[in-house]
Amino acid sequence: VLIREVSMKKIVVIGGSVIDIFAYPHHRMIMNDSNPGYLRKSMGGVGRNIAENLVRLGLDTTLITVLGDDDAGMFIKDSCKNLGLKLSIVDVATTPTYLCIMDEHNEDLISVAAMDQIEELNETSLSKRKKIIDQADILIVDTNLSIETLTYIFDTYDKDIYVDTISSQKAVKIKPFLSKINTLKLNRLEAELLSGIHHEDEKDIYRIGDYFIAHGVKEVFITLGSNGSLHMSNKISRFKPSYRVPVLNSTGAGDAFFAGVIYAKLNDLDPLIYGSASAIVNLQDEKAVSSDLTVQKLDETIKEYKL
């Protein structure tokens, strides 16, 4: 049995918590029509997903987020308590909701994020939580946060800040802060938009990675879905192909990947391998975060897929 001493560093995640509603069709989707299917509800939000994954991997994690005084908020609070995920809650009227319509291949067809409440994660609410943030060894933020909030965080805290860009529309918020980012995780669309470089062949992904390193990011991870992932820093330039796995839900795979990367970085392991393993575990679960995720499961997955 592999016994590994887990990092005792404190992590603070500042980001969104939502209720995910996934709509699955029974058959091929027909646009502009009613499609028979079924619904699944679970907890989501990029910040919350990353935080839950990290706790499942044994890391000391606190999530600063907004939650409503409603059934959805209570559901998330109770779940986090049972997991051992520490919460610092900014109270809002209703809990944010994310609606995702899946296609017949269980891929995200279209989504709507009703998350305006996250605007309450602002300088006023975060300054009240400065003691919590000051105790963190690393900060993780998502781009659900407003540009004003991101400015406050980057200007106030001299810490290793990790960023998940979430979506191409929201990724542009972090462009002014690239030189202050320790570790950046993006997908292909987000990376293309921020860098202005279109990814057409294998060489382009390295050019895109170079762009972020040249602009001061210490480490960048770019996920290309079924085409693999890139890890780049001043010392490292590595590309890893993806592995064919049965996909039940692709939503949350990027969050799982980033959590695997963070776990590996804090424990002096290979972040590309552990990120890939974490994504593989996640892709085979209908929920945004797999309840099967453990360090042992990651190690088994690495062995099974010869990562």
Side-chain angles (χ1 to χ4, degrees), residues 101-121:
I101 298 174
M102 314 297 282
D103 65 15
E104 62 273 19
H105 305 295
N106 294 330
E107 294 282 349
D108 184 344
L109 183 66
I110 193 166
S111 307
V112 175
M115 301 174 68
D116 292 347
Q117 301 92 327
I118 293 177
E119 293 290 324
E120 294 303 313
L121 282 176

Side-chain angles (χ1 to χ4, degrees), residues 136-180:
D137 293 295
I138 71 168
L139 288 180
I140 302 169
V141 301
D142 67 37
T143 54
N144 280 317
L145 303 176
S146 69
I147 186 74
E148 293 79 13
T149 301
L150 289 168
T151 300
Y152 166 74
I153 291 169
F154 281 106
D155 287 351
T156 306
Y157 296 101
D158 183 21
K159 294 180 179 292
D160 287 343
I161 299 178
Y162 291 46
V163 178
D164 190 312
T165 49
I166 294 188
S167 72
S168 54
Q169 290 185 30
K170 296 177 180 179
V172 293
K173 297 178 190 176
I174 58 102
K175 196 159 189 175
F177 311 114
L178 292 177
S179 64
K180 297 182 179 182

Side-chain angles (χ1 to χ4, degrees), residues 240-256:
K240 193 165 189 60
S242 290
Y243 296 81
R244 191 174 297 276
V245 298
V247 176
L248 289 181
N249 185 353
S250 60
T251 300
D255 309 335

Side-chain angles (χ1 to χ4, degrees), residues 23 25 27-37 101-102 109-110:
H27 308 291
R28 185 177 65 84
M29 289 289 285
I30 300 173
M31 301 305 290
N32 305 311
D33 199 2
S34 176
N35 291 267
I101 298 174
M102 314 297 282
L109 183 66
I110 193 166

Side-chain angles (χ1 to χ4, degrees), residues 210-268:
D210 281 335
Y211 170 89
F212 292 107
I213 300 304
H215 282 76
V217 178
K218 288 189 174 62
E219 285 191 82
V220 62
F221 293 84
I222 303 173
T223 57
L224 305 173
S226 60
N227 292 320
S229 51
L230 176 78
H231 174 203
M232 189 171 284
S233 69
N234 280 324
K235 299 177 181 177
I236 295 169
S237 181
R238 291 176 60 213
F239 182 82
K240 193 165 189 60
S242 290
Y243 296 81
R244 191 174 297 276
V245 298
V247 176
L248 289 181
N249 185 353
S250 60
T251 300
D255 309 335
F257 176 90
F258 201 27
V261 163
I262 294 163
Y263 170 81
K265 281 170 59 68
L266 294 181
N267 289 285
D268 297 320

Side-chain angles (χ1 to χ4, degrees), residues 7 21-22 33 42 47-48 50 57 89 113 153 163 183 191 206 281:
S7 168
I21 302 174
F22 295 108
D33 199 2
S42 64
R48 198 215 65 84
I50 294 170
L57 295 174
I89 298 167
I153 291 169
V163 178
T183 303
Y206 289 99
V281 173

